[in-house]
DNA sequence: AGCACGCCGACT
DNA sequence: GTCGGCGTGCTC
């Protein structure tokens, strides 16, 4: 009897055996439908055998082979196994992350697939090849007419074999739609400058072998042109390219540039906001080798790519490559592993590389390609000034110097961007009489004033209440909003510059679909004078008339307990500074700070990221933090603090026992409350494990995890985070 | 993850 | 006397 070992999307570190009915073609990597308990689940076959330990009466059959997606190739299965092992997650959950959604949504028969595809596509034009086969066309028209209803087998049987094959091909693998609409005529790539050519040539010379590169280029130096030149060469040589970006917001712009740079090539987009069907089609096109370039967010790193020839990770330092829940993988790190596995070059691009990547480049493990100059020649780096935010002429956190600079931009018809990393009106509400502050009932956090909506909101749990007039403790009606957020600045600027056209960009203002794109277009069209926003605005947007960037509240990150906060602030400031004066107009950046002599600001003024990174690296070396040490974090939460404490104390004891038993050089720290000690009514705490090398930590983690699973539950939810993005 | 089984408080 | 709370454990 043939037995299929199936990884299922359940929190169990084990695969499940099923017998394979005669006539079912089941191989490794095949997606199948099986029953577990009384549920029907989709899983992936990870092994085929002849025998099983499972008792015969318990053994269930494989119910169905999911033919809508091709089987996972061995290299992708191996990648899943690596991710599961490295991040201590069940293989089935890892695989569920990697695949386009298929569990309940995926219909069973090709006919039903057709019905759903057509419903989803609406009245989209039929692919020509199908439309030309008369009977397939008739079937599809009937499907359109019935709007998603399932047709009987007789309709399928009536098709000519050719029509049936075409239909099936379209339905199951999907033809690549012209995924990227390019309204512009294809512009030739601007000729690369010498630095760009050198960089691109180095990557191209390394094609067909594993070769990691750090491509370090100042903002505006034209890293994208280097990616595209290398991609064009890789594709011309018959390869596929995987291009990872941190955010979906950035993909449309980039997609247009790719379409222009790679005429006639097929690009597909892959990110979590795509509808299931679209994502499946893009995935299948990549897996079938039909797509030449896959542009996507971190999840795209898992796409099967039979002809993979080059991986590019843009903005490699960006924290959004690290998944923060579920399978907590790091897209960049998995990409590096994959490049090694497949023997292809990988380019990690950044103006402000992560300390991890920088250290590898310094050690000579990564090729180090530099673009020290801006690509547009007349554009020079902006001038930096450090000014106080509080002075006699200051208005609502906007200092005299910044106000004057904004005024000058308005007079010249140029644009200003005011950046503050805090949404809402003010981050806190204080009673001037008794000192009461509005706090979240469910979190250890202050409530943020959202004056536009007359609400107090918690930014951690979603709690919202009406903005009160009077202090609930003493009845005093003189409640003071304390501190500044984007809404408050927007109002202050509107009062001070009544004729200016002001746009606020933050999570609240861009919730409507398309709002972000509309904003970008109106900025480009010159319909905006002042932009106020959060870090959403820091990335990848090129506004030619923007000549002033003001930064407020930067000092906050310097106080943070998170060891990565300063690194992130540095990356952010260098990025924000790069937003000013990208075209022909000279730019200026004003950072409001109380500590103008801080090494970070000095480095920023000198446009010298490397010297500040060197400072940070020296600190990390002393403390044994990444990249000089490796971390794993056990985070636990429960309704009662006592349960959390008891669990973490037991977890720590288990860790000590594991480390001692296996003589592993790992340090286990005492349990501490999380930075946000209570969230959504749950008390939170953590145990940190640190090791000078990955090896001991990786040997330690499986044993610790098993010990944790045997610990009494005590109403505690916990998760292991390997290589945590940061913690406090 | 579901969905069971299995022991302790308020009801027809 | 039950009905049901969710704590613990299994599912091939």
């Amino acid at each position: 009897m043939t037995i299929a070992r199936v990884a299922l999307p359940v929190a169990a570190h084990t695969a499940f055996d099923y017998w394979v009915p005669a006539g079912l073609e089941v191989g490794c990597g095949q997606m199948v439908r099986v029953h577990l308990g009384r549920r029907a689940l989709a899983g992936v076959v990870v092994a085929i055998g002849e025998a099983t330990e499972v008792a015969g009466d318990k053994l269930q059959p494989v119910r169905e082979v999911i033919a809508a997606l091709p089987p996972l190739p061995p290299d992708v299965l191996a990648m899943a196994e690596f991710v599961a092992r490295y991040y201590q997650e069940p293989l089935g959950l890892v695989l569920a992350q990697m695949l386009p959604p298929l569990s309940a949504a995926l219909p069973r028969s090709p006919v039903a697939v057709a019905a759903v595809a057509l419903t989803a596509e609406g009245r989209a034009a039929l692919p020509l090849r199908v439309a030309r086969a008369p009977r397939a066309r008739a079937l599809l028209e009937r499907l359109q007419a019935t709007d998603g209803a399932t047709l009987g087998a007789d309709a399928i049987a009536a098709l000519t074999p050719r029509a049936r094959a075409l239909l099936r091909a379209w339905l199951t693998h999907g033809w690549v739609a012209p995924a990227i609409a390019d309204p512009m005529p294809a512009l030739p790539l601007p000729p690369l400058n010498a630095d760009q050519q050198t960089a691109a040539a180095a990557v191209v010379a390394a094609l067909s072998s594993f070769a990691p590169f750090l491509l370090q280029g100042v903002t505006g130096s034209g890293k994208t042109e280097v990616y595209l030149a290398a991609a064009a060469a890789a594709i011309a040589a018959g390869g596929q390219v995987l291009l990872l970006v941190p955010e979906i917001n950035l993909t449309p712009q980039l997609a247009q540039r790719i379409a222009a740079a790679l005429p006639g090539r097929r690009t597909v987009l892959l990110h979590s906001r795509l509808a299931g069907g679209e994502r499946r089609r893009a995935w299948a096109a990549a897996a079938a080798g039909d797509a030449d370039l896959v542009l996507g967010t971190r999840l795209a790193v898992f796409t099967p790519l039979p002809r993979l020839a080059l991986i590019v990770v843009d903005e490699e330092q960006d924290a959004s490559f690290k998944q923060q829940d579920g399978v907590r993988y790091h897209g960049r790190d998995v990409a590096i592993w994959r490049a090694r596995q497949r023997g292809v070059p990988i380019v990690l691009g950044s103006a402000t590389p992560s300390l991890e990547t920088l250290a590898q480049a310094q050690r000579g493990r990564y090729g180090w390609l530099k673009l020290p100059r801006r690509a547009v020649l007349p554009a020079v780096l902006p001038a930096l000034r450090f000014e106080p935010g509080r002075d006699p002429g200051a208005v609502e956190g906007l200092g005299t110097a910044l106000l004057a600079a904004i005024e000058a931009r308005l007079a010249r018809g140029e644009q200003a961007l005011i950046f503050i990393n805090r949404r809402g009106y003010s981050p806190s509400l204080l009673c001037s009489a008794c000192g009461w502050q509005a706090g979240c009932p469910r979190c250890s956090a202050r409530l943020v004033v959202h004056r536009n909506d007359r609400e107090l909101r918690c930014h951690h749990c979603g709690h919202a209440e009406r903005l009160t007039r009077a202090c609930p403790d003493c009845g005093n009606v003189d409640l003071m909003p304390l501190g500044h957020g984007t809404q408050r600045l927007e109002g202050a600027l509107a009062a001070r510059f009544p004729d200016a056209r002001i746009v606020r960009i933050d999570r609240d203002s861009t919730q409507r679909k398309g709002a972000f794109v509309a904003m970008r277009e109106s900025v480009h069209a010159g319909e905006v004078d002042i932009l106020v926003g959060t870090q959403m605005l820091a990335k990848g947007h090129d506004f030619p008339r923007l000549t002033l960037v003001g930064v407020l509240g930067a000092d906050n990150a310097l106080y943070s307990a998170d060891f990565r906060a300063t690194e992130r602030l540095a990356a952010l400031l260098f990025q924000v500074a790069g937003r000013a004066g990208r075209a022909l107009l000279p730019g200026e950046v004003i950072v409001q700070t109380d500590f103008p002599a801080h090494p970070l600001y000095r480095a920023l003024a000198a446009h010298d990221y490397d010297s500040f990174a060197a400072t940070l690296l020296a600190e990390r070396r002393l403390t044994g933090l990444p990249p000089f040490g490796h971390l794993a974090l056990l985070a636990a939460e429960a309704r009662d603090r006592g349960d959390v404490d008891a669990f973490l104390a037991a977890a720590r004891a288990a860790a000590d026992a594991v480390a001692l038993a296996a003589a592993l050089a790992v340090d286990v720290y005492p349990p501490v409350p999380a930075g946000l000690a209570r969230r959504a009514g749950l008390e939170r705490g953590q145990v940190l494990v640190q090791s000078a090398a990955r090896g001991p930590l990786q040997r330690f983690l499986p044993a610790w995890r098993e010990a944790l699973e045997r610990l009494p539950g005590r109403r505690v939810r916990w998760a292991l985070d390997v290589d945590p993005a940061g913690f406090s």
Side-chain angles (χ1 to χ4, degrees), chain A residues 190-199 221-222 371 373-377:
Chain A
L192 301 185
N193 64 32
D195 295 326
Q196 289 172 319
Q197 273 176 31
T198 306
S221 61
L371 305 178
R373 281 173 287 274
R374 288 191 160 193
V376 185
L377 272 181

Side-chain angles (χ1 to χ4, degrees), chain A residues 72-92:
Chain A
L72 286 178
D75 71 295
V76 174
L77 268 181
M79 175 164 48
E81 277 158 12
F82 160 72
V83 169
R85 189 170 62 243
Y86 187 86
Y87 293 102
Q88 297 296 317
E89 291 287 346
L91 180 59

Side-chain angles (χ1 to χ4, degrees), chain A residues 307-327:
Chain A
R307 299 183 281 112
L308 180 65
L310 171 68
I311 303 179
V312 177
V313 183
D314 189 28
E315 302 290 351
E316 65 84 23
Q317 86 294 343
D318 199 289
S320 43
F321 282 116
K322 178 79 202 259
Q323 178 138 307
Q324 296 290 2
D325 49 27
V327 182

Side-chain angles (χ1 to χ4, degrees), chain A residues 268 438 535:
Chain A
V268 292
Q535 61 184 352

Side-chain angles (χ1 to χ4, degrees), chain A residues 376-398:
Chain A
V376 185
L377 272 181
V380 290
L381 292 166
L384 269 290
R385 287 164 61 193
F386 300 88
E387 302 285 351
R390 271 171 290 197
D391 64 82
V395 179
E396 295 279 29
L398 296 154

Side-chain angles (χ1 to χ4, degrees), chain A residues 275-301:
Chain A
E278 235 176 313
R279 193 167 143 196
R280 262 192 310 274
R281 261 192 304 284
W283 192 91
D290 291 339
D292 299 303
L293 188 147
V294 172
L295 169 61
T297 54
R298 59 175 182 258
L299 63 85
V301 76

Side-chain angles (χ1 to χ4, degrees), chain A residues 101 287 366 455 496 592 684:
Chain A
Y366 293 179
E455 274 187 345
R496 173 67 194 256
Q592 292 197 167
R684 308 162 75 225

